[in-house]
Amino acid sequence: MPVEMVKKEIKREIKKPFCHMSHTRCGMLATVEDGVVTHIEGNPATPVNQGKLCERSKYALDFHNSPNRVNYPMKRVGPRGSGQFERISWDQANQEIAGKLKELIAKYGPECICNNAGTGRTDIWERDLFFNMLDAPNSSSGGSQICYSPSLCADTITYGQFAVSQVMPRTNCIVWWGKDSAESGDFPEHWGFCDLLPITHPKMIVVDPRCTDYARRADHWLPLRNGTDGAMALAWLNVIITEELYDKDFVAKWVADFDKLKEAVKDMTPEKAAEITWVSAEKIAAAARCYAECAPEAAFLFGLATDASGYNSFQTNRAKGLIRAIVGSLNNPGGTYLTPPHNAKFHNTAELSHPEIVSQRQKDKTLGMNRYKLGGRIGYDEAARVQKRIFKKDYINIQGACCSYSSSYQNIAMLTGQPYPVKAFFEQGSHAYTNQPESKTLHKALHQCELIVIHEYVWSASACMADYVLPSADFLEKALAWPYPLWGLCNDMFWFGEKAIEPQYERRDCYTFWRELAKLLHPKEKWEKYYPWETTEDTYVHIMSPLGYKTYQECLDKPYIPSPVPMWHEENDPETGEVLGFATPSGKVECFSNTVAKFFDDESAVPFFEEPFESPVRTPDVFEEYPLIMCAGARFMPYYLSDHRGVKGFRNRYPDPYFQIHNETAAELGIGDGHWCWIESRRGRFMQRAKLCSDILPKTIFAQHGWYYPELPHEEPWTVGWFMSNPNVALSNHPDHNDPYQGGCNIKGSLVKVYRAGEPPFNTWTK
């Protein structure tokens, strides 16, 4: 037979990876033909998404094959910011990075190294372990400061661990507080609501300055002034306590210092809160009653808005947590779920990062820790000490999520050398310019670094500034677990996704990246002790080994989904015979936090409200010149945070940045729909298009975050346009403006003015 007549047989396989285009990790079915992924669809056997995929999946292969991807190790060969790089080998990159780290540590100490973290596009325990082995205290900042970590910190101090809403058919009420599941990465949650709401008709309460999709259908919509969530939460507590709508049996048995909470909220009446929040007293009281009367089967969803409100973040989250508690929602099916110790049988990833090997001397050097005690090593170690009574483990909460260093003090250290020089900067699956406020200060600070290493999917602004840019494997090229290790122990189940193909070009996954570098920095007996596994899959088998798993195929075939244990806090500890209770110093829900009193003062131990550092009330003179309140950071589809701006499918779908502004406000300013505008604060200005609407507060604007322009030149002054449409140039990261307990930044309530701009000096996107 002639050669040209022989038809090559295509090798076709179906693999089961997890999507990693947001933090949710939905299950996929990937068709692989001769080592190339040709088609993606949802995996109906995966519990989290049950076959559904969001809009992002349509562009997954665009992302995987994007010309903006980093595919080979690259080394800077020109001045920092010049955009001049050359391709090198992984061996050369690792040898040179390790050599420079040894030099810097010898000169400045391991505290001179820091790391910017993102929101769930990487695993993180491997990074924390790398820093811990170096005795380097500054392993995580950035995204964790403004998302999840503040809530986890407040919940842990209040009742021992992070509270997860447990929405099910018996749920009578759902509260969305600063959260829009329809636009965020939480699509399995959103799909569940879409299926459930028309059938069970739970009451719906939305606390948000925007009229979100859920607010349009809600029984109660409370469009509060940005940054006043704490006053709103205290007013809810006032109504629930004054009208005796709380669970008296639960409070009597399981809530400590309830009288102190009652005293603390007595003056925050709905009328008082109405003056502060700009929501009527009647609406505030009605929503609080609705939630309490539906309890205990009332779900109060996590929303990151209060995590990113800076000054009031910790106290607001404490107040929200106490609302859940006093109505008896905790450990009640259909209400709030706290992971029981019964199901925590696997090796938690907090254990794998070995926080215990960091010396106390180095812990004490964590940037900002002496000021923001609860968000750093002090609070982390204290929480671990208290939790050990119940969970019998040295560490439960994952270090990278709740042991942050301060990005504001990072910039100060880089620029001034105080309290000590910071000379090395790592970043992985993140983008410091879009997750750290005051990005112009950050840009100046990075110029002072002697080593910048970026392990990344795409060419971000951080990558353009780096010494080494190293290619990261994407979700089709690496094994993944659900839940991802960021969550610590607020989930007690595990299932796994396989890599669909081997990493393309020279991309490497997180575990391999950190392990190979650690091998060059430590004696063999040390790195083999802490990184004994060859692959990511091997680490997952180790995590599951206490449950009898012996191979990764078993992990794939047998998801670990234990039965819930309601009201477990009432059970006896099998080791001591004592009642388990909650993982707090008192064993109860703490209205007066013993931990806060220990590290701060008694006055701070019960929630209270203060005006944001910049507001119409606190700074009326500033408000006169900057008469609008800007909220930045709201997610919007199909992007996820700063991801995907250089991916063809995504960008064709949504080419330009927009900010929402009320029709009446826009008319007063002479702004039309789609006009390019300057948004300016006392700190800086940036440019976005106006999107006119009637469903936000007239004195409020919502600016999109995460914008940069990968199509622009990599060299300065352009540096992929990180400053052009980035709200962070107008936000504050001053230490005095951050949350005084946990250190979180304020991105939800800065004062700005808006005015027309000319057309931008570049073509933002060409299809």
Side-chain angles (χ1 to χ4, degrees):
M1 182 181 295
V3 174
E4 60 270 17
M5 299 295 292
V6 178
K7 188 174 182 180
K8 180 183 177 182
E9 182 178 350
I10 297 174
K11 181 182 179 182
R12 183 178 286 106
E13 300 176 278
I14 302 297
K15 296 290 187 176
K16 300 175 182 178
F18 282 171
C19 177
H20 212 176
M21 302 183 81
S22 73
H23 64 268
T24 307
R25 299 191 176 185
C26 295
M28 288 178 159
L29 296 175
T31 301
V32 181
E33 298 181 350
D34 288 343
V36 176
V37 180
T38 59
H39 177 72
I40 288 173
E41 60 187 76
N43 184 354
T46 307
V48 68
N49 62 306
Q50 299 176 341
K52 296 178 182 177
L53 292 176
C54 75
E55 182 182 0
R56 298 184 185 103
S57 66
K58 293 191 294 186
Y59 316 122
L61 295 183
D62 283 353
F63 170 73
H64 175 67
N65 299 310
S66 171
N68 195 43
R69 288 292 299 272
V70 180
N71 291 323
Y72 302 100
M74 306 294 288
K75 176 184 178 180
R76 177 172 63 82
V77 293
R80 187 175 307 287
S82 66
Q84 299 174 38
F85 290 84
E86 68 177 9
R87 179 178 168 182
I88 60 174
S89 68
W90 269 103
D91 285 345
Q92 180 183 343
N94 283 335
Q95 290 284 351
E96 292 180 5
I97 293 168
K100 187 63 177 180
L101 285 174
K102 290 177 180 178
E103 174 190 322
L104 293 173
I105 290 171
K107 186 174 182 180
Y108 301 108
E111 63 270 21
C112 77
I113 311 166
C114 63
N115 177 81
N116 182 70
T119 304
R121 258 84 82 234
T122 60
D123 290 331
I124 59 177
W125 70 264
E126 307 100 321
R127 177 204 69 221
D128 292 335
L129 174 58
F130 179 85
F131 275 74
N132 293 341
M133 289 174 67
L134 290 175
D135 211 18
N138 300 313
S139 68
S140 177
S141 190
S144 58
Q145 285 186 288
I146 53 176
C147 176
Y148 177 67
S149 179
S151 283
L152 191 151
C153 176
D155 283 358
T156 299
I157 282 166
T158 303
Y159 31 68
Q161 61 194 110
F162 186 67
V164 180
S165 294
Q166 194 175 30
V167 179
M168 53 180 60
R170 65 187 293 171
T171 299
N172 296 317
C173 177
I174 306 174
V175 178
W176 286 265
W177 194 307
K179 180 183 181 68
D180 184 6
S181 302
E183 294 288 341
S184 70
D186 306 317
F187 269 83
E189 179 183 84
H190 173 62
W191 296 322
F193 296 150
C194 290
D195 292 340
L196 187 65
L197 298 180
I199 299 173
T200 63
H201 303 290
K203 297 291 184 181
M204 299 171 61
I205 302 172
V206 175
V207 183
D208 202 306
R210 307 160 296 170
C211 187
T212 64
D213 180 62
Y214 291 102
R216 293 182 182 93
R217 295 180 282 168
D219 299 273
H220 303 275
W221 173 39
L222 308 181
L224 79 173
R225 170 166 66 95
N226 292 63
T228 63
D229 305 77
M232 178 70 74
L234 294 174
W236 278 36
L237 287 166
N238 175 287
V239 171
I240 294 168
I241 293 172
T242 302
E243 299 183 10
E244 298 188 0
L245 301 175
Y246 56 91
D247 185 325
K248 296 180 179 61
D249 291 339
F250 181 85
V251 167
K253 189 173 182 180
W254 292 111
V255 177
D257 294 309
F258 183 67
D259 57 328
K260 293 182 179 178
L261 178 65
K262 186 175 182 179
E263 177 67 20
V265 305
K266 71 176 184 180
D267 293 331
M268 189 58 77
T269 63
E271 291 73 22
K272 177 65 174 177
E275 297 174 10
I276 297 170
T277 64
W278 300 352
V279 179
S280 73
E282 292 76 17
K283 288 184 177 181
I284 294 172
R289 290 188 195 106
C290 176
Y291 174 76
E293 289 169 354
C294 289
E297 293 84 11
F300 200 125
L301 304 178
F302 163 71
L304 68 78
T306 53
D307 282 11
S309 59
Y311 215 60
N312 281 291
S313 176
F314 175 74
Q315 296 294 358
T316 298
N317 285 327
R318 280 263 292 141
K320 287 167 60 179
L322 288 170
I323 292 171
R324 295 187 187 99
I326 68 171
V327 298
S329 171
L330 300 183
N331 284 342
N332 243 305
T336 303
Y337 183 70
L338 301 179
T339 301
H342 313 61
N343 296 342
K345 305 302 184 186
F346 46 81
H347 287 301
N348 187 263
T349 49
E351 302 171 58
L352 273 62
S353 63
H354 291 281
E356 77 282 355
I357 65 177
V358 182
S359 67
Q360 189 60 51
R361 177 177 177 272
Q362 289 301 105
K363 288 181 180 181
D364 291 343
K365 293 181 180 179
T366 306
L367 288 167
M369 187 191 69
N370 290 331
R371 183 168 190 171
Y372 312 129
K373 297 181 177 67
L374 299 181
R377 299 271 180 170
I378 291 176
Y380 182 63
D381 285 348
E382 177 68 9
R385 183 187 68 80
V386 175
Q387 288 176 325
K388 188 172 182 178
R389 178 180 64 83
I390 287 179
F391 292 103
K392 317 301 182 186
K393 296 176 183 285
D394 289 331
Y395 288 92
I396 293 297
N397 293 338
I398 188 70
Q399 176 187 330
C402 33
C403 190
S404 299
Y405 71 87
S406 166
S407 64
S408 54
Y409 281 98
Q410 162 204 283
N411 294 341
I412 292 169
M414 287 178 177
L415 289 168
T416 70
Q418 298 299 320
Y420 50 77
V422 168
K423 294 296 183 180
F425 181 83
F426 279 75
E427 184 172 277
Q428 186 180 51
S430 186
H431 192 183
Y433 285 85
T434 62
N435 71 14
Q436 292 188 18
E438 259 183 58
S439 44
K440 287 187 177 180
T441 303
L442 170 71
H443 186 69
K444 293 177 184 176
L446 291 179
H447 267 289
Q448 305 304 311
C449 282
E450 296 184 30
L451 177 66
I452 300 177
V453 179
I454 308 295
H455 184 218
E456 187 52 273
Y457 304 112
V458 298
W459 282 93
S460 64
S462 302
C464 295
M465 291 290 292
D467 297 288
Y468 298 90
V469 183
L470 305 170
S472 179
D474 64 33
F475 59 93
L476 295 173
E477 302 166 326
K478 60 184 177 183
L480 291 167
W482 193 102
Y484 64 96
L486 174 62
W487 292 105
L489 194 69
C490 71
N491 258 304
D492 55 347
M493 57 190 71
F494 262 104
W495 53 82
F496 297 86
E498 62 185 332
K499 59 184 175 186
I501 55 176
E502 291 300 315
Q504 303 294 289
Y505 303 98
E506 294 184 18
R507 302 169 187 166
R508 287 186 176 180
D509 68 11
C510 307
Y511 180 73
T512 304
F513 169 74
W514 293 112
R515 183 176 188 258
E516 291 302 305
L517 197 52
K519 287 164 68 173
L520 297 173
L521 290 164
H522 303 284
K524 184 177 181 182
E525 61 271 17
K526 184 173 182 179
W527 70 257
E528 282 189 337
K529 175 181 179 181
Y530 292 111
Y531 287 99
W533 310 284
E534 289 289 333
T535 67
T536 297
E537 289 89 339
D538 294 337
T539 71
Y540 291 153
V541 176
H542 172 74
I543 287 171
M544 302 304 291
S545 61
L547 296 162
Y549 290 68
K550 292 181 171 49
T551 67
Y552 189 61
Q553 191 60 48
E554 287 184 272
C555 295
L556 293 172
D557 294 341
K558 298 190 299 182
Y560 174 62
I561 309 177
S563 300
V565 186
M567 310 305 289
W568 60 261
H569 58 276
E570 295 186 343
E571 298 183 11
N572 292 333
D573 186 329
E575 291 187 13
T576 66
E578 298 177 355
V579 175
L580 283 169
F582 297 92
T584 61
S586 65
K588 297 183 177 183
V589 174
E590 295 197 351
C591 299
F592 176 95
S593 170
N594 288 286
T595 301
V596 176
K598 178 178 179 178
F599 296 118
F600 290 92
D601 51 55
D602 288 359
E603 289 72 23
S604 301
V606 182
F608 61 90
F609 169 75
E610 278 191 272
E611 278 289 325
F613 81 92
E614 186 176 71
S615 78
V617 177
R618 183 184 286 271
T619 55
D621 54 330
V622 178
F623 186 59
E624 187 173 345
E625 183 177 356
Y626 300 93
L628 298 174
I629 307 171
M630 179 181 71
C631 178
R635 295 172 181 171
F636 58 101
M637 284 294 288
Y639 298 113
Y640 184 68
L641 304 175
S642 63
D643 277 354
H644 313 128
R645 296 307 192 282
V647 179
K648 183 177 179 180
F650 285 89
R651 198 66 181 282
N652 287 347
R653 166 78 169 77
Y654 211 124
D656 295 323
Y658 281 84
F659 72 98
Q660 290 175 276
I661 184 170
H662 195 278
N663 295 328
E664 295 175 3
T665 306
E668 292 172 2
L669 298 173
I671 293 170
D673 196 58
H675 283 164
W676 283 97
C677 296
W678 287 109
I679 302 170
E680 181 178 334
S681 75
R682 291 185 288 172
R683 293 157 291 276
R685 68 177 188 169
F686 61 99
M687 182 186 290
Q688 295 192 359
R689 287 185 183 272
K691 184 176 183 179
L692 274 57
C693 56
S694 60
D695 51 6
I696 64 172
L697 292 179
K699 288 290 185 181
T700 300
I701 68 166
F702 277 78
Q704 293 178 349
H705 73 305
W707 278 97
Y708 66 106
Y709 298 96
E711 65 271 22
L712 292 180
H714 287 194
E715 68 269 16
E716 291 186 305
W718 293 98
T719 320
V720 296
W722 63 267
F723 53 90
M724 292 181 168
S725 298
N726 182 1
N728 286 0
V729 304
L731 300 178
S732 173
N733 200 9
H734 192 284
D736 291 346
H737 299 162
N738 295 339
D739 181 85
Y741 306 96
Q742 186 271 338
C745 311
N746 181 359
I747 65 171
K748 296 295 185 181
S750 295
L751 297 182
V752 299
K753 58 184 174 183
V754 176
Y755 49 94
R756 283 282 304 274
E759 290 302 305
F762 59 93
N763 293 321
T764 52
W765 183 252
T766 302
K767 292 188 178 182

